[in-house]
Amino acid sequence: MRITSFMIHTQQTRSIQRTMENMMKLGNQLSSGKKAERPSDDVIGTVQAMDYSLLINNNDQYKRNINNAIINLEFADLVFSSVSDTLSELKDSALAGLTAENRPDMADDVALLRDQLLYFGNSRFEDRYVFSGFRTDIESFDPVTYDYQGDSGIINVQIGREDSLPINVLGSDAFSYTLTEEEVIQLDDGTYIHYIPGPGTTVDVEIRDTDDTTVLDSFSYSNFIQVADLLSTALESDNVLRIQALLKPLDEASEKALDIQADTGMRLKRLDDQTGWINENTTDLKNLFSDTVDADPTETSIRILMTEVALEALMESSVRVTSLSLMDFLR
Amino acid sequence: MSLFGLFDIGKSSLLASQTALMVTSNNIANVNTPGFSRQGVILSIASPVSGKGGYLGTGVVVSGTKRHYDSFIQSQLIGQYQNYGRSYALDNTFSQVEMVFNETIEIGLSASLTNYFNAWHDVAANPEGETERTVLLQEAEALVSRAKSMESGILDTLKQTNQQIDGMADRINSIASDIASLNEQIVQVETGADSESAYALRDQRDNLLNELSTLVEFTSYEDTDGSITVMVGMRNLVSGGMTNSLSTNVNEDGNNDLYLDGINITDRVNGGQIGGLIAARDDIESGSLYDLRKLIASVTKEINMLHTSGYGLDGSTGNDFFNPLQLVSRDFSSGADISSSITDLSALTLDEYEITFDASNNYYVTNRQTGSVVTSGAYVSGNVIAFDGIEVVITGVVTPADKFSVSPLSDAIGNFGVAITDTQKIAAAASDTDLPGDNTNALNIANLSDASIANLGNTNFMDYYSGLVSEVAGMSRAASDSLQFDDNLLYELSMRREAISGVSLDEEALNLIRFQRSFEAGARLIEVTDELLQTIINL
């Protein structure tokens, strides 16, 4: 092949140009710390990186949701440990009331405990009545009748791709009774007490004479606060039978409060596990993301050095080749 | 032959060397002239005369000059310039569009799309919260503005593409008229001459043809008189000294079509930069732009469907979160008008439709994406034509040449906007009796981000968008790879052309010495002859 000056020139220009391009790409990698400047530099990598960053982002969102859930549940947990304390004080008062002489005097103390329960039932957290279901804008329990006013709305949050968890505790459940069938107890004096399931969470109580038919007294309640209120009035009116009848619901209330605490505890544990999993997963994803996206600075630097050497050699040889000309030897 | 014959031989040697030196100098002078083909002298033996010792030579004559040129390589070069031009335009255009989707530096939709759905999660976590609701509206606005700026990025590229086509058509016309005038000059110079003797003019014309071929695909042939005919899209652009003007006309889609000699040749031009620009324009319109609009239309549709079913804090329901989707119907008829509306959002396919008519006054509604006829029937002016959640009413007289198009996508981004301004109207609740703590609807909307969407081929929003990014990046990558390939091929071919036609300074230096020496020798010959004559005179 004939070699002409233009060919040598073009070939050298192209080689230098290519090496410079390479150099610039490496320089960009070093300064941005990223392998690709634009999606077409690494099509699959870009899409993978998008996927990873979406998953990381989702995990961050789940973590925010979880933190929010933890705060709510911890609050409910705190309330119920106080509810438990109050309930055991009520139980003590009731037991004391069975034998005490000055029952009406105790009534006021019990009324205070009732108000305390009402206060707990109507707990507010960040301006929401936490035990009202979806009706977070109204008091969970009526301050006069102590009836539940909320609804049965369960507030779920997403804590994983396919995982959601309720973050609220319903007042209608947590403060109330679930009686599925009639229960009967006989007192030492032969009196029968019937606990009959009524509508909703209502429990109708009938105190019957030894013949188990004559109804001596009847009343009903549907939640702890109403039981506390009934105890207060029973003490006030020296009604020992009623006090005896209320011992069972008080026991059940304590159990219920413990159940609720156990349940929130379980949920908190679940959230804790989920947080751990999400953190691990996020770390993995971040590593994958970094592997896909980030340029290794050491490697890049070495490659820059190599390119520099190549460029120097290229320039040196270019100068040598172009400076050779027969014209120089003409006299 | 007399002694004076020696003078003549010496003279012929001097003249031949001088001519050769001139050709050599011209070669040296044009070493850097693009498109220059080196020349050489053709020396031949002067006709001998018969003398006493038989036939005797009478020196040397320059019978002509020669242009070192290979027309086969030249035609290959032209073909390759066309490929290169196309690849160049594709690479250029696609890499511009790619920058709109540059997810490597987090320009693009993915962040704003994720943030938007995360904001719904936050609303779900605290449905009464004013802050969360305000943030949601801000994220929605961010999504809207991101989508709009992406669309305008693509539209700008398309606009530039059309402008470039227009500018190139002008350049092509000016090249064409230059070629035509060169044609005339070449014919003049070469009339009566043996063969292609108008070297400089031919080199100039080749240069112009090279430039023309980077711009547009053409075929050409040379007539016997030396003029060249250039055809673009099977129409003559240049024929002898005549040219036809290449012009652009805006078509019904708002794009520039190419017309040569009054005929639309847009579809026949594949190569050259213009061919690349046309191809890129079509790919972008039916690819990235279409897909982006479809994604946004789908987001609007799905979010609005859920949002209208929910309840705001103020108990209101039926509110659209984003501006409702609008149909754009276009009228390509003279005697009829069209109006269209969406009747059932859930039935909408987000495809585009075309309504055509036959000679027996029947209408056909064709889905442009699937190509299938979705409904047809006898046309009655003013009757409702209903299909896929859309109702269309056409009034007036139609002819088989008439055409209407209905698209839920054309304006999907243009009209994209947050319809909710009052945070109270954000429908986080699924029922108005469960306010304000009900987060069911907010949770449903937040979970849309993972839901597979039928209109998007059962992928979710983010996967569809990733697909779009990889498609755009893949196209840009393919274009840059083929540009690289075409560039290398072009380089190889130009090197082959150079090997034949290029000037080598070393070679010319050798020629310089060679002809200098022969010139000196010729002069010496004359001197010797002179001495011989002196000798005779002095006898």
Side-chain angles (χ1 to χ4, degrees), chain B residues 61-80:
Chain B
V61 288
V62 177
S63 61
T65 49
K66 177 173 182 268
R67 175 175 174 239
H68 293 269
Y69 179 77
D70 185 334
S71 58
F72 179 63
I73 288 181
Q74 175 59 24
S75 68
Q76 277 186 311
L77 256 180
I78 282 181
Q80 190 49 35

Side-chain angles (χ1 to χ4, degrees), chain B residues 23-103:
Chain B
V23 170
T24 305
S25 326
N26 187 44
N27 284 346
I28 292 175
N30 282 301
V31 66
N32 290 325
T33 312
F36 176 76
S37 305
R38 82 191 153 101
Q39 295 161 18
V41 281
I42 308 170
L43 298 176
S44 50
I45 308 160
S47 14
V49 293
S50 101
K52 286 191 180 135
Y55 283 95
L56 290 176
T58 58
V60 61
V61 288
V62 177
S63 61
T65 49
K66 177 173 182 268
R67 175 175 174 239
H68 293 269
Y69 179 77
D70 185 334
S71 58
F72 179 63
I73 288 181
Q74 175 59 24
S75 68
Q76 277 186 311
L77 256 180
I78 282 181
Q80 190 49 35
Y81 270 122
Q82 293 173 0
N83 293 341
Y84 176 82
R86 179 186 164 91
S87 298
Y88 178 81
L90 283 172
D91 179 58
N92 223 342
T93 319
F94 285 152
S95 61
Q96 276 183 49
V97 172
E98 187 191 359
M99 294 323 284
V100 172
F101 294 88
N102 197 351
E103 288 289 340

Side-chain angles (χ1 to χ4, degrees), chain B residues 89-98 100-101 150-151 153-159 161 255 276-293 468 471-472 475-476:
Chain B
L90 283 172
D91 179 58
N92 223 342
T93 319
F94 285 152
S95 61
Q96 276 183 49
V97 172
E98 187 191 359
V100 172
F101 294 88
M150 286 178 79
E151 190 196 38
I154 299 175
L155 290 177
D156 283 350
T157 307
L158 288 173
K159 203 168 121 195
T161 310
N255 288 326
L277 288 172
I278 291 170
R281 183 181 77 190
D282 293 350
D283 279 350
I284 291 167
E285 276 187 346
S286 63
S288 40
L289 182 62
Y290 172 83
D291 288 344
L292 186 67
R293 283 177 171 169
L468 176 54
E471 182 197 318
V472 170
M475 271 161 84
S476 169

Side-chain angles (χ1 to χ4, degrees), chain A residues 82-146:
Chain A
S82 307
V83 167
S84 283
D85 292 346
T86 312
L87 284 171
S88 51
E89 278 182 55
L90 269 176
K91 178 83 189 294
D92 291 345
S93 304
L95 287 175
L98 283 179
T99 50
E101 300 284 310
N102 53 342
R103 289 192 190 100
D105 295 344
M106 295 170 68
D108 287 346
D109 291 343
V110 171
L112 276 178
L113 291 175
R114 174 203 65 204
D115 290 345
Q116 217 170 325
L117 277 181
L118 177 67
Y119 174 77
F120 290 141
N122 286 339
S123 294
R124 296 178 77 185
F125 183 65
E126 287 177 347
D127 261 0
R128 321 200 267 186
Y129 289 98
V130 292
F131 298 119
S132 293
F134 286 150
R135 304 296 313 269
T136 52
D137 54 337
I138 52 169
E139 291 179 321
S140 313
F141 295 94
D142 187 290
V144 180
T145 63
Y146 312 117

Side-chain angles (χ1 to χ4, degrees), chain B residues 92 206 404 411 431 453 479 514:
Chain B
N92 223 342
D206 279 348
F404 297 96
D411 221 8
S431 146
I453 309 293
R514 184 173 140 212

Side-chain angles (χ1 to χ4, degrees), chain A residues 5-17:
Chain A
S5 327
F6 182 72
M7 282 163 86
I8 294 172
H9 172 256
T10 318
Q11 194 257 333
Q12 282 165 354
T13 324
R14 278 174 71 92
S15 309
I16 292 177
Q17 198 58 42

Side-chain angles (χ1 to χ4, degrees), chain B residues 383-400:
Chain B
N383 270 15
V384 170
I385 302 172
F387 52 91
D388 295 350
I390 294 175
E391 270 187 14
V392 167
V393 177
I394 298 171
T395 50
V397 178
V398 294
T399 67

